[in-house]
Amino acid sequence: MKVGLFIPCYVDAIYPEAGIATLELLERLGLEVVYPLNQTCCGQPMANEGDQQHSAAAEQLFVDNFREFEYIIGPAGSCVKHVRHHLDAIPQDPDVLHVRQRTYELVEFLHDILQVESFPWAYFRYKVGLHNSCSSIRGLNIALPSEIMGTPFNKTARLLQMVEGLELVPMDRPDECCGFGGTFCVTDEAVSASMGLDKVHDYVRNDAEFIVSPDMSCLMHQQGIARKAGIRMKFLHVAQVLNGGPF
Amino acid sequence: MGDEKKVDVAANAAAFLEQDEVHEPMHDKNLWAARMHRDAAARAVPEWEELRKIASQIKEHTLTHLPDYLREFENNALKRGAKVYWARDAAEHNQHVWDILQEKNIRAVIKSKSMLQEECGMTAFLEKRGITVTESDLGERIQQLDDQPPSHIVMPAIHKTPEDVAQLFARSIGTDPGNTDPHYLTEAMRNDARKRFLEAGAGMTGANFAIAETGSFVVCTNEGNADIGAAVPPVHIASIGIEKLLPKVSDLGIFIRMLSRSALGTLATQYTSHFSGPRRGGELHIILTDNGRSRRLGMPDFWTSLKCIRCGACMNTCPVYRRSGGLAYGATYSGPIGIILDPTFDESRYSELPYHSSLCGSCTEVCPVKIDISDQILKWRKVMAAKKYLPVSRRLAFGAAGRIFEHPQLFRSAESMASGALRFTPHFLLYNKVLNPWGRHRELPHFAGQTFREWYLQYRAKNNDHGEQHT
Ligand code: SF4
């Protein structure tokens, strides 16, 4: 199977290891992975501001880069959620609809499409706090949102539990938003920081050593807050753990 | 309202957060506890998600047949001996109230919680005309004594600590300023209110639900204050928003089950009172009020906000509301529901509200009538952006970003732009001076020595024919 690899702009610039881990992991699982070199951004930052005019060109470029692939995989829940649910600043032609339908966040692709049952190469002997982003939970169904009544499921946790040595710690507010919210963290800085700090304290209370997430953007925000508050804690993308590196 | 200043909700929220180390943590903790109670109560109802679906359908059906149900309600209420008035807006609503009071020569009213009366600015209107208006709900009374609007639609004074209330009561009704015992304070308020019930010429209520089939309406409270207010004075005036209609009595059960479970996690409100016509020897006046509702009903993206039953669950679950406090929204309705309702009253004044959300979506999932609150918040942002309500600086920043993302080459050069930490920014924002408060509470992220793309070109791109290979 030939798949397109979508590396969001901030992963490209700040967390290249998360991108490398994603690529390596997909290859280990037997896929032919292509990284279109002309990609920039899915348009989410502008669209989240309500700015349809300026998100349109980025969205079109995204579709042009990825229309030929059977699946498009990105290690980033919020970007994938944008593509799946909100990529609507451009006319909805068949290519656009195809791309919207076929873009998957890494965890849901591994869990739902590839149905991976083990990661024999991975080993991680640490206590891990899991941060499923809001976009992944409530936008991509990666876990049952705590507000919804039903049988709980958590795809990220299920995958992580396949990693030898890894111990997931409980959280007091497992799916409370960390306050990143894209541009929200800048336009509503005080509230955003307060949410992030509460999140970091939740991990500390529950003895987590590493925080792992399918969304590096939330971790970028939480990591910055933890550092400023002098809290030592390490943050990793889920792909790095499932692939066994690079760290 | 249109010429009033824009509400700077982010600045208000920062002020609430930064006032001290007590108020915000308490607000967050108390409302989160309400959310946890709600979860437990909902979990105990196996058909909870089914109930949400049905409740939503009943509301959508009623709203799409609203004129019929309103006429049916009016006819049946008249048959039961109530007087029915129609009010197009706040001014007409208040005028009706004033006319009724004047005709009976009433100088004092006792009222129980009504967000509609709040919306209409009724208390200020009446007080200007020499009427004494007393709130009988404990939280509302606290807010009234402090000259503040309610900060939460179910728990109006939840942003105050017991110490705040003790100080306030000491100033206003003469209690011991050092005694913060809730029982003591509640008792003192009750004693103060008792004589006001007896003096009032009219009792005013809102309504949680109005039933077309019977012409009756239902008021839910936990203190029983609405019942006393409706039973003691000779005149009962009820302000009912036209969206409160339900077709039949048999529809009611589902909403009663969901309302208090969603609000506080209790099985039912303590008092669920049905009013069907005036009581013997008394008068019942019903004011059916539009005040923007029919206009909202005509807005394709936003009409389902009229399904709201005002349970407050979206506020309790909202991580932003819990940290910013309700008064920060500067409007009658706060929290997620406020964000989507307030701009329908005044787009310009409330143009910043839709940005006061991290779009986490918890409100949508918790809402008992399945209002897609989070999606509507995003749609309101589109309205605000299209109508250019955003500050120019922000518009320019996003315009610049948009252009960078259009062009891969521009993007690459922005990415590798010169030196050190700021060569590229989290979501591209930091390099823009207008938008850089990131650093106040956060360390800047470290930028990688080599981008993913550079790594890919170096190690993997040999066989890649998808796009340009030069950087
Ligand atoms: S929007 Fe939904 S959750 Fe919020 S107050 Fe209304 S009914 Fe309750």
Side-chain angles (χ1 to χ4, degrees):
Chain A
M1 194 193 297
K2 192 159 115 182
V3 300
L5 179 62
F6 160 43
I7 299 296
C9 46
Y10 69 93
V11 172
D12 183 50
I14 305 171
Y15 301 107
E17 331 71 69
I20 295 166
T22 306
L23 172 66
E24 288 182 355
L25 180 60
L26 292 171
E27 286 176 344
R28 273 198 218 257
L29 292 165
L31 301 169
E32 187 190 336
V33 186
V34 177
Y35 170 70
L37 289 165
N38 269 340
Q39 57 184 296
T40 59
C41 161
C42 60
Q44 182 192 201
M46 288 77 74
N48 263 5
E49 277 283 296
D51 187 345
Q52 292 290 83
Q53 187 199 335
H54 288 113
S55 56
E59 290 183 0
Q60 188 59 54
L61 183 64
F62 186 89
V63 172
D64 292 344
N65 274 313
F66 288 108
R67 70 170 118 229
E68 68 186 270
F69 296 102
E70 190 182 346
Y71 288 101
I72 300 116
I73 301 155
S78 75
C79 306
V80 169
K81 180 194 169 199
H82 171 71
V83 173
R84 183 101 45 88
H85 297 309
H86 300 294
L87 196 137
D88 53 15
I90 50 177
Q92 301 293 297
D93 66 27
D95 280 347
V96 175
L97 294 176
H98 167 81
V99 164
R100 287 182 64 169
Q101 222 178 10
R102 289 307 183 118
T103 300
Y104 277 78
E105 185 280 324
L106 179 66
V107 167
E108 59 169 349
F109 183 76
L110 298 177
H111 187 280
D112 297 354
I113 306 297
L114 292 187
Q115 304 185 1
V116 178
E117 290 296 341
S118 68
F119 299 92
W121 49 78
Y123 173 75
F124 202 74
R125 191 187 285 163
Y126 295 101
K127 288 184 174 175
V128 168
L130 167 60
H131 176 71
N132 273 329
S133 67
C134 301
S135 315
S136 309
I137 298 169
R138 302 185 187 90
L140 301 175
N141 236 6
I142 209 170
L144 185 76
S146 58
E147 303 88 18
I148 298 284
M149 298 303 130
T151 312
F153 63 89
N154 188 330
K155 296 174 188 174
T156 325
R158 219 184 128 219
L159 296 183
L160 285 172
Q161 272 153 350
M162 294 172 195
V163 174
E164 201 193 324
L166 187 147
E167 183 191 341
L168 279 178
V169 300
M171 298 268 298
D172 298 342
R173 301 183 184 182
D175 60 6
E176 169 107 324
C177 175
C178 73
F180 175 61
T183 54
F184 170 78
C185 72
V186 176
T187 56
D188 223 326
E189 180 266 341
V191 173
S192 161
S194 162
M195 289 163 69
L197 195 59
D198 287 351
K199 196 83 195 174
V200 169
H201 284 144
D202 197 344
Y203 302 132
V204 172
R205 262 197 311 279
N206 288 291
D207 280 338
E209 296 164 281
F210 278 84
I211 313 308
V212 174
S213 175
D215 248 305
M216 219 51 221
S217 56
C218 303
L219 294 194
M220 174 173 69
H221 157 79
Q222 295 172 33
Q223 186 177 42
I225 283 173
R227 279 203 191 124
K228 187 98 180 182
I231 296 167
R232 292 158 68 93
M233 190 161 271
K234 287 163 254 162
F235 296 82
L236 289 177
H237 191 272
V238 67
Q240 292 168 271
V241 177
L242 298 179
N243 186 55
F247 296 113
Chain B
M1 285 226 301
D3 51 350
E4 278 179 53
K5 258 189 80 204
K6 231 177 235 238
V7 176
D8 188 348
V9 61
N12 296 344
F16 179 75
L17 260 165
E18 287 158 15
Q19 63 181 312
D20 55 30
E21 310 257 288
V22 177
H23 282 79
E24 181 272 324
M26 176 211 66
H27 191 254
D28 171 55
K29 192 175 124 246
N30 289 344
L31 293 175
W32 183 253
R35 159 74 208 280
M36 290 292 100
H37 289 140
R38 171 267 176 203
D39 284 7
R43 211 172 294 123
V45 179
E47 68 276 27
W48 182 260
E49 295 303 327
E50 191 61 24
L51 291 184
R52 289 178 73 218
K53 212 179 296 161
I54 300 169
S56 168
Q57 285 166 352
I58 294 173
K59 275 286 184 183
E60 288 190 9
H61 164 82
T62 316
L63 288 167
T64 48
H65 298 74
L66 197 53
D68 300 338
Y69 287 121
L70 283 168
R71 264 191 296 272
E72 190 184 341
F73 175 84
E74 181 187 31
N75 285 336
N76 289 324
L78 290 171
K79 269 188 227 153
R80 288 178 183 271
K83 290 206 169 144
V84 179
Y85 310 76
W86 295 89
R88 257 177 302 218
D89 55 20
E92 284 192 9
H93 169 272
N94 294 345
Q95 190 61 42
H96 283 311
V97 176
W98 172 235
D99 289 345
I100 297 164
L101 297 181
Q102 269 209 310
E103 198 199 305
K104 317 268 164 223
N105 203 18
I106 293 170
R107 309 306 299 168
V109 302
I110 187 97
K111 69 184 283 293
S112 80
K113 224 158 74 56
S114 157
M115 293 311 292
L116 174 58
Q117 289 164 4
E118 204 57 47
E119 214 182 287
C120 293
M122 183 194 76
T123 299
F125 171 91
L126 293 179
E127 283 176 343
K128 232 181 268 162
R129 286 158 183 77
I131 307 284
T132 307
V133 182
T134 306
E135 297 282 354
S136 59
D137 170 272
L138 175 62
E140 288 281 348
R141 181 67 177 153
I142 292 171
Q143 290 308 95
Q144 186 185 29
L145 291 173
D146 211 9
D147 209 13
Q148 277 182 344
S151 79
H152 184 291
I153 60 180
V154 177
M155 298 167 263
I158 193 70
H159 60 296
K160 285 188 162 71
T161 61
E163 288 73 24
D164 293 338
V165 176
Q167 293 294 330
L168 172 67
F169 280 12
R171 282 200 305 276
S172 51
I173 58 173
T175 54
D176 169 5
N179 193 341
T180 58
D181 175 35
H183 297 289
Y184 165 75
L185 293 170
T186 308
E187 195 51 37
M189 205 295 269
R190 286 224 174 102
N191 288 334
D192 181 72
R194 192 157 296 139
K195 56 180 184 290
R196 296 164 184 275
F197 277 105
L198 296 172
E199 282 161 13
M204 298 202 61
T205 69
N208 293 81
F209 307 99
I211 319 284
E213 181 186 34
T214 56
S216 54
F217 60 94
V218 176
V219 180
C220 305
T221 71
N222 281 313
E223 298 168 33
N225 55 309
D227 308 82
I228 309 177
V232 176
V235 176
H236 177 184
I237 305 173
S239 307
I240 306 183
I242 56 173
E243 87 285 16
K244 295 286 178 186
L245 267 283
L246 291 176
K248 292 181 184 310
V249 179
S250 58
D251 297 323
L252 193 61
I254 198 168
F255 291 96
I256 298 292
R257 288 181 79 191
M258 300 200 91
L259 179 64
S260 63
R261 280 182 171 85
S262 297
L264 300 169
T266 53
L267 302 190
T269 40
Q270 301 286 334
Y271 301 88
T272 299
S273 306
H274 296 243
F275 297 94
S276 304
R279 66 171 204 273
R280 201 169 303 144
E283 291 178 18
L284 176 61
H285 303 263
I286 295 172
I287 309 173
L288 291 168
T289 307
D290 184 324
N291 201 33
R293 285 159 176 74
S294 54
R295 197 176 73 87
R296 204 176 299 147
L297 194 53
M299 302 171 98
D301 284 342
F302 303 118
W303 70 275
T304 56
S305 61
L306 288 163
K307 292 192 287 183
C308 176
I309 59 171
R310 307 282 193 261
C311 68
C314 58
M315 307 163 86
N316 301 344
T317 204
C318 177
V320 175
Y321 172 84
R322 274 188 265 116
R323 271 122 188 142
S324 55
L327 297 179
Y329 294 72
T332 303
Y333 301 101
S334 54
I337 182 62
I339 291 181
I340 61 174
L341 288 182
D342 297 328
T344 68
F345 293 107
D346 188 334
E347 269 179 22
S348 162
R349 181 168 161 73
Y350 299 117
S351 56
E352 282 294 315
L353 261 55
Y355 297 90
H356 196 55
S357 166
S358 65
L359 299 177
C360 78
S362 183
C363 48
T364 300
E365 312 291 6
V366 89
C367 176
V369 288
K370 282 178 159 291
I371 300 173
D372 55 343
I373 307 175
S374 191
D375 285 345
Q376 290 191 35
I377 293 174
L378 192 55
K379 285 176 184 161
W380 270 116
R381 290 188 184 181
K382 290 181 185 172
V383 173
M384 299 315 175
K387 296 196 178 169
K388 308 218 184 310
Y389 286 121
L390 298 188
V392 176
S393 55
R394 214 150 97 194
R395 281 188 349 239
L396 290 179
F398 283 98
R403 276 189 296 282
I404 289 172
F405 290 137
E406 263 171 59
H407 304 294
Q409 274 74 26
L410 256 184
F411 176 68
R412 298 305 150 209
S413 57
E415 242 190 344
S416 56
M417 211 159 36
S419 54
L422 288 189
R423 77 171 188 157
F424 185 68
T425 62
H427 275 205
F428 65 83
L429 285 172
L430 281 180
Y431 77 99
N432 183 301
K433 283 208 183 65
V434 179
L435 295 176
N436 69 355
W438 172 280
R440 196 152 77 103
H441 292 104
R442 304 173 190 81
E443 291 290 325
L444 295 174
H446 301 307
F447 290 82
Q450 187 180 38
T451 66
F452 172 81
R453 189 171 184 274
E454 287 159 359
W455 174 88
Y456 187 86
L457 285 171
Q458 187 174 347
Y459 297 105
R460 295 298 185 86
K462 289 157 219 93
N463 307 317
N464 188 336
D465 53 0
H466 295 265
E468 303 297 306
Q469 294 212 1
H470 55 83
T471 41

